[in-house]
Amino acid sequence: MKLIFLGPPGAGKGTQAKLLAESYSIPHISTGEILRAAIAKETDLGKQAQAFVDRGELVPDALILDLIRARLQESDTQQGWILDGFPRNVSQAEFLEKLLAELNQNCDHALNLEVPDAVLVQRLLGRGRKDDNESTISRRLDVYREQTAPVIEFYKQQGALVSVDGSQQMEDVTKNLKSCISV
Ligand code: ADP
């Protein structure tokens, strides 16, 4: 099972990705989590990424692409994987296409969680992560609309897109996702 999660910040990608990863016994690969861990450990990657993450900007592709290539070649990805937070712009999506072709892999579904903006802002403010203050949130939503939303169209054209209402209760979203996946 190879899944990509799409959707704006606060849509619940991380929560749902984690639940599905447990349920299918496959790794949950979150670029946001990888970057936050690198920032906490003050690694080279973390030092280079920090200012971008703090401003709500995407980190440069150069910091992310090699990391994804290496991660998808680790042995635990044989049975599948769930990508959360990647691809986040069209050039990352094109990179992933080429990488998967090289690895003889294919993404089964791109799962798009749809949630209205007002709900997103409430959820993000309630979450209280370091990059969840009001100005960063509004920048992240702008960046999402400008750079990440076009990725939805990319997967639609490939026939891989599945959109699910992410504003429902957590359990209902999980149920809907699972029923789309198993069709
Ligand atoms: P959210 O829950 O808001 O979607 P994430 O945890 O996925 O946030 O990501 C947090 C931050 O990490 C982003 O705002 C961005 O700065 C950076 N980031 C995560 N994934 C990527 C990526 N694929 N490309 C560039 N930057 C990324």
Side-chain angles (χ1 to χ4, degrees), residues 7-14 30-36 39 49-61 63-65 68 84-89 92 124 127 129 131-132 136 140 143-144 147:
K13 299 186 296 290
S30 158
T31 45
E33 270 178 25
I34 293 170
L35 291 172
R36 281 190 290 282
I39 290 169
Q50 176 148 36
F52 296 97
V53 173
D54 286 349
R55 285 200 305 268
E57 304 285 338
L58 299 187
V59 308
D61 286 356
L63 295 183
I64 292 280
L65 301 184
I68 288 290
D84 159 19
F86 187 94
R88 227 181 179 89
N89 59 33
Q92 292 182 2
L124 291 167
R127 189 163 73 172
R129 210 169 70 192
D131 56 341
D132 285 340
T136 314
R140 290 203 336 258
V143 168
Y144 171 78
Q147 301 188 52

Short mmCIF file of all heavy atoms in Angstrom, two decimals, residues 7-14 30-36 39 49-61 63-65 68 84-89 92 124 127 129 131-132 136 140 143-144 147, ligand 1:
data_model
loop_
_atom_site.label_atom_id
_atom_site.label_comp_id
_atom_site.label_asym_id
_atom_site.label_seq_id
_atom_site.Cartn_x
_atom_site.Cartn_y
_atom_site.Cartn_z
N GLY A 7 -3.40 17.99 1.33
CA GLY A 7 -4.37 18.78 2.08
C GLY A 7 -3.66 19.90 2.80
O GLY A 7 -2.45 19.83 3.03
N PRO A 8 -4.41 20.93 3.17
CA PRO A 8 -3.80 22.11 3.80
C PRO A 8 -3.27 21.82 5.21
O PRO A 8 -3.63 20.79 5.80
CB PRO A 8 -4.97 23.11 3.86
CG PRO A 8 -6.19 22.27 3.78
CD PRO A 8 -5.85 21.06 2.98
N PRO A 9 -2.44 22.72 5.75
CA PRO A 9 -2.00 22.56 7.14
C PRO A 9 -3.23 22.52 8.05
O PRO A 9 -4.15 23.31 7.88
CB PRO A 9 -1.15 23.81 7.41
CG PRO A 9 -1.32 24.70 6.25
CD PRO A 9 -1.89 23.92 5.12
N GLY A 10 -3.23 21.59 8.97
CA GLY A 10 -4.36 21.48 9.91
C GLY A 10 -5.47 20.57 9.41
O GLY A 10 -6.46 20.35 10.11
N ALA A 11 -5.32 19.98 8.23
CA ALA A 11 -6.38 19.13 7.68
C ALA A 11 -6.46 17.78 8.38
O ALA A 11 -7.46 17.09 8.26
CB ALA A 11 -6.17 18.92 6.18
N GLY A 12 -5.39 17.43 9.10
CA GLY A 12 -5.40 16.15 9.81
C GLY A 12 -4.59 15.07 9.10
O GLY A 12 -4.75 13.89 9.38
N LYS A 13 -3.70 15.49 8.20
CA LYS A 13 -2.88 14.53 7.46
C LYS A 13 -2.06 13.66 8.42
O LYS A 13 -2.03 12.46 8.29
CB LYS A 13 -1.91 15.25 6.51
CG LYS A 13 -2.57 16.11 5.45
CD LYS A 13 -1.54 16.67 4.47
CE LYS A 13 -0.54 17.60 5.11
NZ LYS A 13 -1.13 18.90 5.52
N GLY A 14 -1.39 14.31 9.35
CA GLY A 14 -0.51 13.59 10.28
C GLY A 14 -1.29 12.57 11.10
O GLY A 14 -0.87 11.42 11.24
N SER A 30 6.77 11.45 7.52
CA SER A 30 6.33 12.83 7.59
C SER A 30 7.53 13.76 7.46
O SER A 30 8.41 13.77 8.32
CB SER A 30 5.63 13.08 8.94
OG SER A 30 5.63 14.46 9.27
N THR A 31 7.56 14.54 6.38
CA THR A 31 8.71 15.45 6.22
C THR A 31 8.71 16.53 7.30
O THR A 31 9.76 16.94 7.75
CB THR A 31 8.73 16.09 4.81
OG1 THR A 31 7.42 16.54 4.48
CG2 THR A 31 9.21 15.12 3.77
N GLY A 32 7.51 16.94 7.75
CA GLY A 32 7.44 17.93 8.84
C GLY A 32 8.08 17.38 10.10
O GLY A 32 8.87 18.06 10.77
N GLU A 33 7.78 16.10 10.43
CA GLU A 33 8.37 15.49 11.63
C GLU A 33 9.87 15.33 11.48
O GLU A 33 10.62 15.55 12.42
CB GLU A 33 7.74 14.12 11.90
CG GLU A 33 6.52 14.20 12.78
CD GLU A 33 5.86 12.82 13.01
OE1 GLU A 33 6.54 11.78 12.90
OE2 GLU A 33 4.65 12.82 13.28
N ILE A 34 10.30 14.91 10.29
CA ILE A 34 11.75 14.74 10.05
C ILE A 34 12.45 16.09 10.26
O ILE A 34 13.49 16.17 10.92
CB ILE A 34 12.01 14.19 8.63
CG1 ILE A 34 11.48 12.75 8.53
CG2 ILE A 34 13.50 14.26 8.28
CD1 ILE A 34 11.46 12.18 7.11
N LEU A 35 11.86 17.16 9.72
CA LEU A 35 12.49 18.49 9.86
C LEU A 35 12.47 18.96 11.30
O LEU A 35 13.47 19.50 11.79
CB LEU A 35 11.78 19.50 8.95
CG LEU A 35 11.98 19.29 7.44
CD1 LEU A 35 11.06 20.22 6.64
CD2 LEU A 35 13.44 19.52 7.05
N ARG A 36 11.34 18.76 12.00
CA ARG A 36 11.29 19.20 13.41
C ARG A 36 12.31 18.44 14.25
O ARG A 36 12.95 19.03 15.13
CB ARG A 36 9.87 19.04 13.98
CG ARG A 36 8.93 20.17 13.55
CD ARG A 36 7.61 20.15 14.29
NE ARG A 36 6.78 19.03 13.91
CZ ARG A 36 6.06 18.98 12.79
NH1 ARG A 36 6.07 20.00 11.94
NH2 ARG A 36 5.33 17.93 12.50
N ILE A 39 15.69 19.91 13.51
CA ILE A 39 15.83 21.22 14.14
C ILE A 39 16.12 21.05 15.64
O ILE A 39 17.02 21.68 16.19
CB ILE A 39 14.57 22.08 13.90
CG1 ILE A 39 14.49 22.48 12.42
CG2 ILE A 39 14.56 23.33 14.80
CD1 ILE A 39 13.17 23.10 11.99
N ALA A 49 17.14 24.35 7.77
CA ALA A 49 15.68 24.38 7.58
C ALA A 49 14.98 25.36 8.52
O ALA A 49 13.89 25.87 8.21
CB ALA A 49 15.11 22.98 7.78
N GLN A 50 15.57 25.61 9.68
CA GLN A 50 14.85 26.29 10.76
C GLN A 50 14.17 27.60 10.36
O GLN A 50 12.99 27.81 10.65
CB GLN A 50 15.78 26.54 11.95
CG GLN A 50 15.08 27.35 13.05
CD GLN A 50 15.57 27.00 14.42
OE1 GLN A 50 16.75 26.73 14.62
NE2 GLN A 50 14.66 27.01 15.38
N ALA A 51 14.93 28.49 9.70
CA ALA A 51 14.36 29.81 9.40
C ALA A 51 13.14 29.69 8.49
O ALA A 51 12.16 30.42 8.64
CB ALA A 51 15.43 30.69 8.74
N PHE A 52 13.19 28.74 7.54
CA PHE A 52 12.06 28.56 6.62
C PHE A 52 10.83 28.05 7.36
O PHE A 52 9.73 28.57 7.19
CB PHE A 52 12.43 27.57 5.50
CG PHE A 52 13.54 28.04 4.61
CD1 PHE A 52 14.85 27.63 4.83
CD2 PHE A 52 13.28 28.92 3.57
CE1 PHE A 52 15.88 28.08 4.01
CE2 PHE A 52 14.30 29.37 2.74
CZ PHE A 52 15.61 28.95 2.98
N VAL A 53 11.05 27.04 8.18
CA VAL A 53 9.92 26.46 8.94
C VAL A 53 9.31 27.52 9.86
O VAL A 53 8.09 27.67 9.93
CB VAL A 53 10.40 25.23 9.75
CG1 VAL A 53 9.28 24.73 10.66
CG2 VAL A 53 10.85 24.12 8.81
N ASP A 54 10.17 28.28 10.54
CA ASP A 54 9.67 29.31 11.47
C ASP A 54 8.85 30.37 10.76
O ASP A 54 7.94 30.95 11.34
CB ASP A 54 10.84 29.98 12.21
CG ASP A 54 11.42 29.06 13.28
OD1 ASP A 54 10.78 28.02 13.58
OD2 ASP A 54 12.51 29.37 13.80
N ARG A 55 9.19 30.66 9.50
CA ARG A 55 8.44 31.67 8.75
C ARG A 55 7.20 31.11 8.07
O ARG A 55 6.42 31.86 7.50
CB ARG A 55 9.32 32.29 7.66
CG ARG A 55 10.38 33.26 8.15
CD ARG A 55 10.85 34.16 7.00
NE ARG A 55 11.31 33.41 5.85
CZ ARG A 55 12.56 33.04 5.64
NH1 ARG A 55 13.50 33.36 6.51
NH2 ARG A 55 12.88 32.37 4.56
N GLY A 56 7.04 29.80 8.08
CA GLY A 56 5.91 29.19 7.38
C GLY A 56 6.15 29.01 5.89
O GLY A 56 5.23 28.78 5.12
N GLU A 57 7.42 29.13 5.49
CA GLU A 57 7.79 28.92 4.07
C GLU A 57 8.15 27.45 3.88
O GLU A 57 8.51 26.76 4.83
CB GLU A 57 9.05 29.73 3.72
CG GLU A 57 8.96 31.22 3.98
CD GLU A 57 8.11 31.95 2.96
OE1 GLU A 57 7.93 31.41 1.85
OE2 GLU A 57 7.62 33.04 3.28
N LEU A 58 8.11 26.99 2.62
CA LEU A 58 8.65 25.67 2.34
C LEU A 58 10.17 25.74 2.43
O LEU A 58 10.77 26.75 2.05
CB LEU A 58 8.27 25.22 0.92
CG LEU A 58 6.79 25.07 0.62
CD1 LEU A 58 6.60 24.45 -0.77
CD2 LEU A 58 6.08 24.24 1.67
N VAL A 59 10.80 24.68 2.92
CA VAL A 59 12.26 24.64 2.86
C VAL A 59 12.64 24.36 1.40
O VAL A 59 11.84 23.80 0.65
CB VAL A 59 12.85 23.59 3.83
CG1 VAL A 59 12.31 23.77 5.24
CG2 VAL A 59 12.60 22.18 3.35
N PRO A 60 13.85 24.76 0.98
CA PRO A 60 14.22 24.54 -0.43
C PRO A 60 14.19 23.05 -0.78
O PRO A 60 14.54 22.21 0.04
CB PRO A 60 15.66 25.08 -0.49
CG PRO A 60 15.78 26.02 0.66
CD PRO A 60 14.89 25.49 1.73
N ASP A 61 13.77 22.75 -2.02
CA ASP A 61 13.71 21.36 -2.48
C ASP A 61 15.03 20.64 -2.25
O ASP A 61 15.04 19.44 -1.93
CB ASP A 61 13.38 21.29 -3.99
CG ASP A 61 11.92 21.61 -4.27
OD1 ASP A 61 11.14 21.80 -3.30
OD2 ASP A 61 11.55 21.66 -5.46
N LEU A 63 16.92 20.55 0.12
CA LEU A 63 17.07 19.96 1.45
C LEU A 63 16.19 18.72 1.62
O LEU A 63 16.39 17.92 2.53
CB LEU A 63 16.68 20.97 2.54
CG LEU A 63 17.54 22.22 2.68
CD1 LEU A 63 17.07 23.06 3.84
CD2 LEU A 63 19.01 21.84 2.87
N ILE A 64 15.19 18.55 0.75
CA ILE A 64 14.18 17.53 0.97
C ILE A 64 14.35 16.34 0.01
O ILE A 64 14.09 15.20 0.39
CB ILE A 64 12.77 18.14 0.72
CG1 ILE A 64 12.43 19.17 1.80
CG2 ILE A 64 11.69 17.09 0.66
CD1 ILE A 64 11.95 18.56 3.09
N LEU A 65 14.77 16.59 -1.22
CA LEU A 65 14.71 15.55 -2.23
C LEU A 65 15.62 14.36 -1.92
O LEU A 65 15.18 13.20 -1.99
CB LEU A 65 15.01 16.13 -3.62
CG LEU A 65 14.05 17.25 -4.07
CD1 LEU A 65 14.37 17.69 -5.50
CD2 LEU A 65 12.59 16.82 -3.98
N ILE A 68 14.18 12.22 0.86
CA ILE A 68 13.09 11.33 0.44
C ILE A 68 13.63 10.14 -0.35
O ILE A 68 13.23 8.99 -0.14
CB ILE A 68 12.06 12.12 -0.42
CG1 ILE A 68 11.25 13.07 0.46
CG2 ILE A 68 11.14 11.19 -1.20
CD1 ILE A 68 10.27 12.38 1.41
N ASP A 84 3.50 11.95 4.09
CA ASP A 84 2.70 13.01 4.70
C ASP A 84 3.56 14.28 4.69
O ASP A 84 4.60 14.33 5.34
CB ASP A 84 2.34 12.55 6.13
CG ASP A 84 1.97 13.67 7.07
OD1 ASP A 84 1.64 14.77 6.62
OD2 ASP A 84 2.01 13.42 8.30
N GLY A 85 3.14 15.27 3.90
CA GLY A 85 3.93 16.51 3.82
C GLY A 85 4.81 16.55 2.58
O GLY A 85 5.51 17.54 2.36
N PHE A 86 4.79 15.50 1.79
CA PHE A 86 5.57 15.42 0.56
C PHE A 86 4.77 14.63 -0.45
O PHE A 86 4.26 13.57 -0.10
CB PHE A 86 6.92 14.73 0.80
CG PHE A 86 7.82 14.77 -0.40
CD1 PHE A 86 8.76 15.78 -0.55
CD2 PHE A 86 7.71 13.80 -1.39
CE1 PHE A 86 9.58 15.82 -1.67
CE2 PHE A 86 8.52 13.84 -2.52
CZ PHE A 86 9.46 14.86 -2.66
N PRO A 87 4.66 15.07 -1.71
CA PRO A 87 5.19 16.30 -2.29
C PRO A 87 4.35 17.53 -1.92
O PRO A 87 3.14 17.45 -1.77
CB PRO A 87 5.11 16.04 -3.79
CG PRO A 87 4.00 15.06 -3.96
CD PRO A 87 3.98 14.22 -2.73
N ARG A 88 5.03 18.67 -1.81
CA ARG A 88 4.39 19.90 -1.37
C ARG A 88 4.41 20.98 -2.45
O ARG A 88 3.95 22.09 -2.23
CB ARG A 88 5.11 20.41 -0.14
CG ARG A 88 4.19 20.80 1.00
CD ARG A 88 5.07 21.31 2.12
NE ARG A 88 4.32 21.73 3.26
CZ ARG A 88 3.98 20.94 4.27
NH1 ARG A 88 4.28 19.67 4.26
NH2 ARG A 88 3.33 21.45 5.30
N ASN A 89 4.99 20.66 -3.58
CA ASN A 89 4.88 21.56 -4.75
C ASN A 89 5.02 20.67 -5.99
O ASN A 89 5.33 19.48 -5.87
CB ASN A 89 5.93 22.69 -4.72
CG ASN A 89 7.35 22.16 -4.70
OD1 ASN A 89 7.64 21.11 -5.28
ND2 ASN A 89 8.25 22.87 -4.03
N GLN A 92 8.36 18.88 -6.59
CA GLN A 92 8.55 17.70 -5.73
C GLN A 92 7.73 16.52 -6.25
O GLN A 92 8.17 15.38 -6.21
CB GLN A 92 8.16 18.02 -4.27
CG GLN A 92 9.10 19.02 -3.60
CD GLN A 92 8.74 19.29 -2.14
OE1 GLN A 92 7.81 18.72 -1.59
NE2 GLN A 92 9.48 20.21 -1.52
N LEU A 124 -5.36 24.81 14.02
CA LEU A 124 -3.92 25.10 14.13
C LEU A 124 -3.63 25.93 15.38
O LEU A 124 -2.66 25.67 16.08
CB LEU A 124 -3.44 25.84 12.87
CG LEU A 124 -3.42 24.98 11.59
CD1 LEU A 124 -3.24 25.85 10.36
CD2 LEU A 124 -2.33 23.93 11.65
N ARG A 127 -3.61 23.73 18.34
CA ARG A 127 -2.56 22.71 18.40
C ARG A 127 -1.34 23.20 19.16
O ARG A 127 -0.68 22.43 19.85
CB ARG A 127 -2.19 22.37 16.94
CG ARG A 127 -1.29 21.21 16.77
CD ARG A 127 -1.33 20.72 15.34
NE ARG A 127 -0.64 21.63 14.42
CZ ARG A 127 -0.41 21.34 13.14
NH1 ARG A 127 -0.83 20.22 12.63
NH2 ARG A 127 0.23 22.19 12.37
N ARG A 129 1.70 24.18 18.28
CA ARG A 129 3.08 23.87 17.91
C ARG A 129 3.85 25.17 17.74
O ARG A 129 3.24 26.21 17.54
CB ARG A 129 3.04 23.07 16.59
CG ARG A 129 4.16 22.09 16.41
CD ARG A 129 3.85 21.20 15.23
NE ARG A 129 3.93 21.94 13.98
CZ ARG A 129 3.48 21.45 12.81
NH1 ARG A 129 2.91 20.28 12.76
NH2 ARG A 129 3.60 22.18 11.72
N ASP A 131 5.43 26.50 15.33
CA ASP A 131 5.15 27.25 14.10
C ASP A 131 3.65 27.49 13.89
O ASP A 131 3.20 27.78 12.80
CB ASP A 131 5.76 26.55 12.87
CG ASP A 131 5.29 25.10 12.70
OD1 ASP A 131 4.79 24.52 13.68
OD2 ASP A 131 5.41 24.57 11.59
N ASP A 132 2.87 27.36 14.98
CA ASP A 132 1.42 27.57 14.89
C ASP A 132 0.96 28.90 15.48
O ASP A 132 -0.04 28.96 16.17
CB ASP A 132 0.68 26.42 15.60
CG ASP A 132 0.68 25.13 14.80
OD1 ASP A 132 0.90 25.18 13.57
OD2 ASP A 132 0.46 24.07 15.40
N THR A 136 2.37 32.95 11.19
CA THR A 136 2.92 31.80 10.47
C THR A 136 1.80 30.97 9.84
O THR A 136 1.92 30.48 8.71
CB THR A 136 3.74 30.90 11.42
OG1 THR A 136 4.58 31.74 12.17
CG2 THR A 136 4.56 29.90 10.67
N ARG A 140 1.46 29.98 6.01
CA ARG A 140 1.41 28.57 5.58
C ARG A 140 0.19 28.31 4.70
O ARG A 140 0.27 27.54 3.76
CB ARG A 140 1.44 27.63 6.78
CG ARG A 140 2.80 27.67 7.43
CD ARG A 140 3.25 26.50 8.28
NE ARG A 140 2.28 25.64 8.87
CZ ARG A 140 1.91 25.68 10.16
NH1 ARG A 140 2.38 26.59 10.97
NH2 ARG A 140 1.05 24.80 10.61
N VAL A 143 1.02 29.81 1.30
CA VAL A 143 1.97 28.94 0.61
C VAL A 143 1.26 27.68 0.11
O VAL A 143 1.50 27.21 -1.01
CB VAL A 143 3.15 28.56 1.55
CG1 VAL A 143 3.99 27.42 0.97
CG2 VAL A 143 4.02 29.78 1.83
N TYR A 144 0.34 27.17 0.92
CA TYR A 144 -0.43 25.99 0.50
C TYR A 144 -1.19 26.30 -0.80
O TYR A 144 -1.13 25.54 -1.76
CB TYR A 144 -1.41 25.54 1.60
CG TYR A 144 -2.34 24.48 1.09
CD1 TYR A 144 -1.90 23.16 0.97
CD2 TYR A 144 -3.62 24.79 0.65
CE1 TYR A 144 -2.71 22.19 0.42
CE2 TYR A 144 -4.44 23.83 0.11
CZ TYR A 144 -3.98 22.53 -0.01
OH TYR A 144 -4.79 21.58 -0.57
N GLN A 147 1.45 26.98 -3.77
CA GLN A 147 2.42 25.96 -4.19
C GLN A 147 1.92 24.53 -4.06
O GLN A 147 2.29 23.68 -4.87
CB GLN A 147 3.72 26.12 -3.39
CG GLN A 147 4.34 27.49 -3.58
CD GLN A 147 5.72 27.57 -2.95
OE1 GLN A 147 6.57 26.72 -3.21
NE2 GLN A 147 5.95 28.57 -2.13
P1 ADP B 1 1.47 21.10 8.58
O1 ADP B 1 0.91 20.24 9.65
O2 ADP B 1 1.29 22.55 8.82
O3 ADP B 1 1.05 20.67 7.20
P2 ADP B 1 4.12 19.87 8.47
O4 ADP B 1 4.40 19.24 9.79
O5 ADP B 1 3.79 18.97 7.33
O6 ADP B 1 3.02 21.00 8.66
O7 ADP B 1 5.36 20.79 8.01
C1 ADP B 1 5.85 21.83 8.82
C2 ADP B 1 6.80 22.72 8.02
O8 ADP B 1 7.90 21.94 7.52
C3 ADP B 1 6.22 23.38 6.78
O9 ADP B 1 5.55 24.60 7.09
C4 ADP B 1 7.49 23.60 5.92
O10 ADP B 1 8.23 24.71 6.37
C5 ADP B 1 8.32 22.38 6.22
N1 ADP B 1 8.11 21.28 5.25
C6 ADP B 1 7.53 20.07 5.52
N2 ADP B 1 7.51 19.29 4.43
C7 ADP B 1 8.09 20.00 3.43
C8 ADP B 1 8.36 19.77 2.04
N3 ADP B 1 8.01 18.61 1.45
N4 ADP B 1 8.99 20.73 1.32
C9 ADP B 1 9.33 21.88 1.89
N5 ADP B 1 9.10 22.19 3.17
C10 ADP B 1 8.48 21.27 3.95
#
